[in-house]
Amino acid sequence: MEYGICPISVVPIRLAATDASEMVSQILYGEHFKVLERRKLWSRIRVAFDGFEGWVCNNQIQFIQEEDFELIESSKNPKYVDDLVAFVATNNAILIPIVMGSSVHNTSILQNTFEGSYVDCKKEKSDLIPTAVAYLNTPYLLGGRTPFGLDCAGFTQMVYKINGYPLKRSATAQSTQGEALSFIEESEPGDLAFFDNNEGVIDHVGIIMKDNYIIHANGKIRIDRIDHTGIFNTDIRAYTHSLRVIKKII
């Protein structure tokens, strides 16, 4: 088994081992992973944080020793950047831009230093909404996990990650976590609402806010109304998503 870490701001994870393949997720600076298959130009990886698998280009990652991987895994208080954009410095004082949610407890392995703002503990549930609002107007990007582009599950995952709580990578997988609520009136700000398509497959997720509002990714990170039917977009005066279930994670 081989191991790796992301040494740059963000690396696309692709469905297949080619640049032309669909981006299905991203790894951020400092995130580590197992290498399931290594080819000349590409490697298939499993991200340690959420178990997501896909292909990354070898010239964008750094292979590490098993002991370094285990050292990262043993970190009891991982540190995540809580500014939209920050920087790490290399040994020769070159700055590398990194984004919110990047892992900076691993900088010594990459021979970098970080002196910015970070979180290293589980925060209160009330902190989820201010973090979510920081992403407001970020454009929708399939597979995205950064303030420059997110998909719906990438958005919820990153908001929870920055506050110290792990979520799976897809809306379907996230819907298996937490405790289901019977009625929307039982929900609290920070709970997750899941929505399904015409085939009954859960394909969308957002974060409940107070007063029957929800923040989610639909074209961009936006705030809309939510009721028992689903999400009502006041711009187009129509429902855009059908409510399936609300889950309490915290």
Side-chain angles (χ1 to χ4, degrees):
M1 180 69 70
E2 291 186 284
Y3 307 89
I5 191 170
C6 179
I8 56 179
S9 58
V10 57
V11 170
I13 300 178
R14 300 196 180 277
L15 187 62
T18 168
D19 285 318
S21 179
E22 174 186 355
M23 184 179 76
V24 288
S25 190
Q26 296 171 322
I27 45 174
L28 308 185
Y29 175 89
E31 290 190 313
H32 60 298
F33 49 86
K34 291 183 178 180
V35 179
L36 305 178
E37 179 183 349
R38 183 174 178 179
R39 299 181 183 176
K40 181 179 180 180
L41 299 178
W42 294 85
S43 290
R44 186 167 66 90
I45 67 169
R46 178 185 296 133
V47 181
F49 179 72
D50 57 15
F52 193 85
E53 296 182 10
W55 292 89
V56 295
C57 194
N58 290 341
N59 64 11
Q60 291 187 305
I61 62 175
Q62 180 173 316
F63 295 97
I64 59 176
Q65 298 298 314
E66 182 177 3
E67 52 264 34
D68 289 328
F69 181 90
E70 295 299 336
L71 179 64
I72 298 171
E73 284 285 278
S74 65
S75 299
K76 295 182 179 179
N77 296 105
K79 300 176 182 178
Y80 302 129
V81 174
D82 61 355
D83 288 325
L84 285 174
V85 178
F87 296 89
V88 291
T90 66
N91 285 342
N92 53 356
I94 295 175
L95 295 180
I96 300 174
I98 58 176
V99 297
M100 189 155 64
S102 297
S103 302
V104 289
H105 53 287
N106 309 330
T107 53
S108 60
I109 293 172
L110 292 164
Q111 297 185 333
N112 297 154
T113 56
F114 176 75
E115 298 180 354
S117 176
Y118 62 83
V119 293
D120 61 355
C121 62
K122 289 186 176 180
K123 302 179 75 174
E124 297 295 325
K125 187 175 184 178
S126 58
D127 290 310
L128 290 170
I129 298 304
T131 303
V133 170
Y135 284 102
L136 199 60
N137 293 315
T138 297
Y140 177 86
L141 176 65
L142 181 63
R145 298 175 69 227
T146 82
F148 300 101
L150 296 153
D151 59 26
C152 67
F155 169 59
T156 53
Q157 184 191 61
M158 294 309 300
V159 169
Y160 269 73
K161 177 185 180 182
I162 292 162
N163 285 277
Y165 301 92
L167 287 181
K168 303 291 187 180
R169 181 59 185 89
S170 70
T172 303
Q174 290 177 13
S175 70
T176 66
Q177 299 178 252
E179 171 191 356
L181 302 179
S182 300
F183 304 100
I184 193 171
E185 289 81 9
E186 297 177 352
S187 67
E188 300 173 338
D191 292 338
L192 297 182
F194 294 91
F195 307 83
D196 56 14
N197 58 22
N198 293 334
E199 286 73 44
V201 176
I202 290 176
D203 63 353
H204 191 68
V205 59
I207 302 175
I208 295 287
M209 304 178 74
K210 66 179 181 178
D211 299 328
N212 295 319
Y213 285 95
I214 185 170
I215 184 168
H216 68 125
N218 185 24
K220 62 182 179 180
I221 303 301
R222 56 178 290 133
I223 296 172
D224 285 311
R225 302 288 295 183
I226 182 172
D227 58 26
H228 295 288
T229 299
I231 297 176
F232 186 79
N233 184 317
T234 56
D235 293 339
I236 62 174
R237 302 194 61 79
Y239 285 96
T240 57
H241 298 83
S242 177
L243 181 63
R244 172 74 169 271
V245 66
I246 296 175
K247 303 293 287 284
K248 183 182 295 293
I249 307 296
I250 304 171

